[in-house]
PDB file of all heavy atoms in Angstrom:
ATOM      1  N   LEU B  23       3.655  23.903 -44.580  1.00  0.00           N
ATOM      2  CA  LEU B  23       2.838  25.012 -45.165  1.00  0.00           C
ATOM      3  C   LEU B  23       3.712  25.799 -46.124  1.00  0.00           C
ATOM      4  O   LEU B  23       3.229  26.160 -47.222  1.00  0.00           O
ATOM      5  CB  LEU B  23       2.321  25.870 -43.991  1.00  0.00           C
ATOM      6  CG  LEU B  23       1.155  26.785 -44.368  1.00  0.00           C
ATOM      7  CD1 LEU B  23      -0.041  25.998 -44.650  1.00  0.00           C
ATOM      8  CD2 LEU B  23       0.877  27.791 -43.213  1.00  0.00           C
ATOM      9  N   ALA B  24       4.936  26.097 -45.670  1.00  0.00           N
ATOM     10  CA  ALA B  24       5.832  26.867 -46.574  1.00  0.00           C
ATOM     11  C   ALA B  24       6.033  26.154 -47.896  1.00  0.00           C
ATOM     12  O   ALA B  24       5.981  26.767 -48.949  1.00  0.00           O
ATOM     13  CB  ALA B  24       7.171  27.080 -45.821  1.00  0.00           C
ATOM     14  N   VAL B  25       6.285  24.893 -47.777  1.00  0.00           N
ATOM     15  CA  VAL B  25       6.463  24.122 -49.066  1.00  0.00           C
ATOM     16  C   VAL B  25       5.218  24.212 -49.922  1.00  0.00           C
ATOM     17  O   VAL B  25       5.319  24.435 -51.117  1.00  0.00           O
ATOM     18  CB  VAL B  25       6.770  22.632 -48.740  1.00  0.00           C
ATOM     19  CG1 VAL B  25       6.770  21.768 -50.022  1.00  0.00           C
ATOM     20  CG2 VAL B  25       8.155  22.542 -48.072  1.00  0.00           C
ATOM     21  N   ALA B  26       3.996  24.086 -49.302  1.00  0.00           N
ATOM     22  CA  ALA B  26       2.817  24.115 -50.065  1.00  0.00           C
ATOM     23  C   ALA B  26       2.655  25.505 -50.717  1.00  0.00           C
ATOM     24  O   ALA B  26       2.266  25.551 -51.940  1.00  0.00           O
ATOM     25  CB  ALA B  26       1.615  23.865 -49.174  1.00  0.00           C
ATOM     26  N   VAL B  27       2.971  26.579 -49.963  1.00  0.00           N
ATOM     27  CA  VAL B  27       2.864  27.906 -50.591  1.00  0.00           C
ATOM     28  C   VAL B  27       3.807  28.108 -51.726  1.00  0.00           C
ATOM     29  O   VAL B  27       3.386  28.553 -52.848  1.00  0.00           O
ATOM     30  CB  VAL B  27       3.130  28.989 -49.492  1.00  0.00           C
ATOM     31  CG1 VAL B  27       3.285  30.351 -50.142  1.00  0.00           C
ATOM     32  CG2 VAL B  27       1.980  29.055 -48.445  1.00  0.00           C
ATOM     33  N   VAL B  28       5.054  27.686 -51.520  1.00  0.00           N
ATOM     34  CA  VAL B  28       6.004  27.816 -52.623  1.00  0.00           C
ATOM     35  C   VAL B  28       5.656  27.027 -53.833  1.00  0.00           C
ATOM     36  O   VAL B  28       5.652  27.497 -54.965  1.00  0.00           O
ATOM     37  CB  VAL B  28       7.466  27.362 -52.138  1.00  0.00           C
ATOM     38  CG1 VAL B  28       8.391  27.280 -53.285  1.00  0.00           C
ATOM     39  CG2 VAL B  28       7.920  28.366 -51.096  1.00  0.00           C
ATOM     40  N   ALA B  29       5.120  25.812 -53.618  1.00  0.00           N
ATOM     41  CA  ALA B  29       4.665  24.951 -54.706  1.00  0.00           C
ATOM     42  C   ALA B  29       3.523  25.627 -55.456  1.00  0.00           C
ATOM     43  O   ALA B  29       3.550  25.677 -56.714  1.00  0.00           O
ATOM     44  CB  ALA B  29       4.272  23.575 -54.200  1.00  0.00           C
ATOM     45  N   THR B  30       2.540  26.137 -54.689  1.00  0.00           N
ATOM     46  CA  THR B  30       1.366  26.777 -55.405  1.00  0.00           C
ATOM     47  C   THR B  30       1.863  27.924 -56.245  1.00  0.00           C
ATOM     48  O   THR B  30       1.442  28.097 -57.366  1.00  0.00           O
ATOM     49  CB  THR B  30       0.370  27.267 -54.329  1.00  0.00           C
ATOM     50  OG1 THR B  30       0.213  26.285 -53.357  1.00  0.00           O
ATOM     51  CG2 THR B  30      -0.972  27.632 -54.962  1.00  0.00           C
ATOM     52  N   ILE B  31       2.653  28.786 -55.613  1.00  0.00           N
ATOM     53  CA  ILE B  31       3.133  29.977 -56.328  1.00  0.00           C
ATOM     54  C   ILE B  31       3.924  29.600 -57.648  1.00  0.00           C
ATOM     55  O   ILE B  31       3.707  30.171 -58.714  1.00  0.00           O
ATOM     56  CB  ILE B  31       3.892  30.907 -55.484  1.00  0.00           C
ATOM     57  CG1 ILE B  31       3.000  31.547 -54.438  1.00  0.00           C
ATOM     58  CG2 ILE B  31       4.581  32.021 -56.281  1.00  0.00           C
ATOM     59  CD1 ILE B  31       3.633  32.462 -53.444  1.00  0.00           C
ATOM     60  N   SER B  32       4.768  28.596 -57.448  1.00  0.00           N
ATOM     61  CA  SER B  32       5.577  28.289 -58.675  1.00  0.00           C
ATOM     62  C   SER B  32       4.732  27.600 -59.726  1.00  0.00           C
ATOM     63  O   SER B  32       5.026  27.714 -60.928  1.00  0.00           O
ATOM     64  CB  SER B  32       6.782  27.406 -58.275  1.00  0.00           C
ATOM     65  OG  SER B  32       6.356  26.307 -57.456  1.00  0.00           O
ATOM     66  N   PHE B  33       3.622  26.955 -59.301  1.00  0.00           N
ATOM     67  CA  PHE B  33       2.744  26.299 -60.268  1.00  0.00           C
ATOM     68  C   PHE B  33       1.822  27.346 -60.865  1.00  0.00           C
ATOM     69  O   PHE B  33       1.624  27.350 -62.081  1.00  0.00           O
ATOM     70  CB  PHE B  33       2.003  25.177 -59.520  1.00  0.00           C
ATOM     71  CG  PHE B  33       1.195  24.328 -60.466  1.00  0.00           C
ATOM     72  CD1 PHE B  33       1.847  23.598 -61.430  1.00  0.00           C
ATOM     73  CD2 PHE B  33      -0.164  24.200 -60.361  1.00  0.00           C
ATOM     74  CE1 PHE B  33       1.022  22.801 -62.342  1.00  0.00           C
ATOM     75  CE2 PHE B  33      -0.977  23.452 -61.194  1.00  0.00           C
ATOM     76  CZ  PHE B  33      -0.293  22.693 -62.199  1.00  0.00           C
ATOM     77  N   LEU B  34       1.206  28.185 -60.089  1.00  0.00           N
ATOM     78  CA  LEU B  34       0.171  29.088 -60.554  1.00  0.00           C
ATOM     79  C   LEU B  34       0.639  30.500 -60.804  1.00  0.00           C
ATOM     80  O   LEU B  34      -0.090  31.233 -61.492  1.00  0.00           O
ATOM     81  CB  LEU B  34      -0.983  29.111 -59.591  1.00  0.00           C
ATOM     82  CG  LEU B  34      -1.814  27.830 -59.484  1.00  0.00           C
ATOM     83  CD1 LEU B  34      -2.843  27.978 -58.346  1.00  0.00           C
ATOM     84  CD2 LEU B  34      -2.532  27.532 -60.758  1.00  0.00           C
ATOM     85  N   GLY B  35       1.806  30.881 -60.315  1.00  0.00           N
ATOM     86  CA  GLY B  35       2.266  32.237 -60.578  1.00  0.00           C
ATOM     87  C   GLY B  35       1.505  33.287 -59.850  1.00  0.00           C
ATOM     88  O   GLY B  35       0.710  33.001 -58.929  1.00  0.00           O
ATOM     89  N   PHE B  36       1.827  34.555 -60.126  1.00  0.00           N
ATOM     90  CA  PHE B  36       1.198  35.674 -59.458  1.00  0.00           C
ATOM     91  C   PHE B  36       0.093  36.292 -60.366  1.00  0.00           C
ATOM     92  O   PHE B  36       0.096  36.061 -61.565  1.00  0.00           O
ATOM     93  CB  PHE B  36       2.176  36.775 -59.165  1.00  0.00           C
ATOM     94  CG  PHE B  36       3.084  36.452 -58.046  1.00  0.00           C
ATOM     95  CD1 PHE B  36       4.393  36.027 -58.277  1.00  0.00           C
ATOM     96  CD2 PHE B  36       2.642  36.384 -56.701  1.00  0.00           C
ATOM     97  CE1 PHE B  36       5.273  35.748 -57.248  1.00  0.00           C
ATOM     98  CE2 PHE B  36       3.411  36.048 -55.695  1.00  0.00           C
ATOM     99  CZ  PHE B  36       4.770  35.778 -55.933  1.00  0.00           C
ATOM    100  N   GLN B  37      -0.832  37.062 -59.683  1.00  0.00           N
ATOM    101  CA  GLN B  37      -1.852  37.788 -60.436  1.00  0.00           C
ATOM    102  C   GLN B  37      -1.165  38.684 -61.479  1.00  0.00           C
ATOM    103  O   GLN B  37      -0.184  39.309 -61.223  1.00  0.00           O
ATOM    104  CB  GLN B  37      -2.537  38.655 -59.434  1.00  0.00           C
ATOM    105  CG  GLN B  37      -3.959  38.458 -59.354  1.00  0.00           C
ATOM    106  CD  GLN B  37      -4.582  39.238 -58.269  1.00  0.00           C
ATOM    107  OE1 GLN B  37      -4.183  40.414 -58.017  1.00  0.00           O
ATOM    108  NE2 GLN B  37      -5.546  38.656 -57.588  1.00  0.00           N
ATOM    109  N   GLY B  38      -1.865  38.803 -62.659  1.00  0.00           N
ATOM    110  CA  GLY B  38      -1.466  39.784 -63.624  1.00  0.00           C
ATOM    111  C   GLY B  38      -0.212  39.436 -64.437  1.00  0.00           C
ATOM    112  O   GLY B  38       0.216  40.144 -65.264  1.00  0.00           O
ATOM    113  N   LYS B  39       0.335  38.244 -64.207  1.00  0.00           N
ATOM    114  CA  LYS B  39       1.439  37.846 -65.046  1.00  0.00           C
ATOM    115  C   LYS B  39       0.936  37.522 -66.405  1.00  0.00           C
ATOM    116  O   LYS B  39      -0.236  37.165 -66.634  1.00  0.00           O
ATOM    117  CB  LYS B  39       2.148  36.654 -64.456  1.00  0.00           C
ATOM    118  CG  LYS B  39       1.381  35.361 -64.635  1.00  0.00           C
ATOM    119  CD  LYS B  39       2.213  34.110 -64.498  1.00  0.00           C
ATOM    120  CE  LYS B  39       1.293  33.026 -64.942  1.00  0.00           C
ATOM    121  NZ  LYS B  39       1.008  31.878 -64.619  1.00  0.00           N
ATOM    122  N   LYS B  40       1.764  37.771 -67.440  1.00  0.00           N
ATOM    123  CA  LYS B  40       1.399  37.567 -68.775  1.00  0.00           C
ATOM    124  C   LYS B  40       1.158  36.108 -69.054  1.00  0.00           C
ATOM    125  O   LYS B  40       1.914  35.270 -68.642  1.00  0.00           O
ATOM    126  CB  LYS B  40       2.403  38.100 -69.747  1.00  0.00           C
ATOM    127  CG  LYS B  40       2.355  39.568 -69.935  1.00  0.00           C
ATOM    128  CD  LYS B  40       3.107  39.983 -71.170  1.00  0.00           C
ATOM    129  CE  LYS B  40       2.928  41.463 -71.421  1.00  0.00           C
ATOM    130  NZ  LYS B  40       3.698  41.901 -72.559  1.00  0.00           N
ATOM    131  N   SER B  41       0.095  35.805 -69.740  1.00  0.00           N
ATOM    132  CA  SER B  41      -0.173  34.387 -70.055  1.00  0.00           C
ATOM    133  C   SER B  41      -0.860  34.341 -71.401  1.00  0.00           C
ATOM    134  O   SER B  41      -1.678  35.124 -71.731  1.00  0.00           O
ATOM    135  CB  SER B  41      -1.085  33.812 -68.929  1.00  0.00           C
ATOM    136  OG  SER B  41      -1.748  32.645 -69.443  1.00  0.00           O
TER     137      SER B  41
END
Side-chain angles (χ1 to χ4, degrees):
Chain B
L23 198 67
V25 170
V27 167
V28 170
T30 315
I31 290 178
S32 48
F33 188 61
L34 291 173
F36 286 107
Q37 236 174 39
K39 73 159 186 217
K40 279 198 175 175
S41 158

